[in-house]
Amino acid sequence: LGDAGDIRAEYERLGGLLHARARRGLDDKQWDQALPDLERAAVLLVQDPEPCLDLARTLGRLGRLQDAMAAAQRAIDRRPDHVAAFVFLGAAQAKLGLHEPAAASFASAARFDKDSFPALLGLGLSSVALSRNREAEDALGRAAALRPESPEVHVALARLLGPLGRTKEAVAAW
């Protein structure tokens, strides 16, 4: 048997091969076939958050949102400033109606990348769901500034402002 360093290197090599094979499956939209390789790669590549995030996305596509959230959290545990993992986690939480944790996940992503459109849009939409109108308007306004062509952010702004009696601003947001 080799020493611990040799064994760790072999695990990383095998994990990298499995992750690469899984990525090819994901590129071909073969979610079910990629899943076992992603699960193994996430175990073998103990410091790399990317197999965990790919696993989370795949589980989400397969409708396994609770498992997907756990995999996204593992990616965050491995790299606490992983914006894409926070955005994914927030989106999964929002999809399940968990708006408070979703807002926290999106806020974390935006804290690490103040120009992350998906983080700001998610934070805005989660804040709307929580009736945090000021926070929602701020996040959606920042998202609109980043992507003025995005219809989704303008619709969200209009839906926020209209019921607040700010009709002219709501119409302008459309």
Side-chain angles (χ1 to χ4, degrees):
L1 294 180
D3 68 0
D6 290 342
I7 294 169
R8 188 173 22 257
E10 186 60 22
Y11 279 179
E12 289 177 10
R13 186 187 72 75
L14 179 58
L17 291 171
L18 289 167
H19 191 212
R21 185 169 70 179
R23 295 290 311 211
R24 287 191 300 277
L26 296 177
D27 290 345
D28 293 337
K29 298 181 178 18
Q30 305 274 327
W31 320 124
D32 287 323
Q33 290 178 352
L35 186 61
D37 285 343
L38 287 172
E39 290 171 331
R40 288 186 204 106
V43 169
L44 293 171
L45 299 170
V46 296
Q47 295 180 353
D48 187 352
E50 297 310 318
C52 294
L53 183 55
D54 286 340
L55 177 60
R57 289 174 174 152
T58 301
L59 290 165
R61 286 183 179 107
L62 295 173
R64 294 173 51 188
L65 287 179
Q66 293 292 340
D67 294 331
M69 290 187 309
Q73 185 60 57
R74 284 197 308 273
I76 293 165
D77 292 344
R78 291 176 183 190
R79 198 174 100 207
D81 64 345
H82 200 302
V83 173
F86 274 115
V87 168
F88 178 86
L89 180 59
Q93 291 164 327
K95 193 171 194 173
L96 291 175
L98 304 170
H99 299 294
E100 188 71 45
S105 294
F106 289 126
S108 291
R111 186 172 53 253
F112 292 118
D113 180 359
K114 64 181 176 62
D115 293 329
S116 171
F117 176 80
L120 293 169
L121 179 61
L123 177 58
L125 294 173
S126 294
S127 297
V128 168
L130 294 166
S131 299
R132 296 180 185 160
N133 297 335
R134 188 170 294 137
E135 184 178 336
E137 185 176 0
D138 177 60
L140 292 171
R142 289 169 48 206
L146 289 171
R147 289 200 193 156
E149 76 287 353
S150 171
E152 188 175 13
V153 71
H154 293 289
V155 168
L157 267 170
R159 288 186 176 158
L160 169 67
L161 298 172
L164 297 176
R166 296 166 60 186
T167 309
K168 287 183 182 179
E169 291 172 89
V171 171
W174 281 97

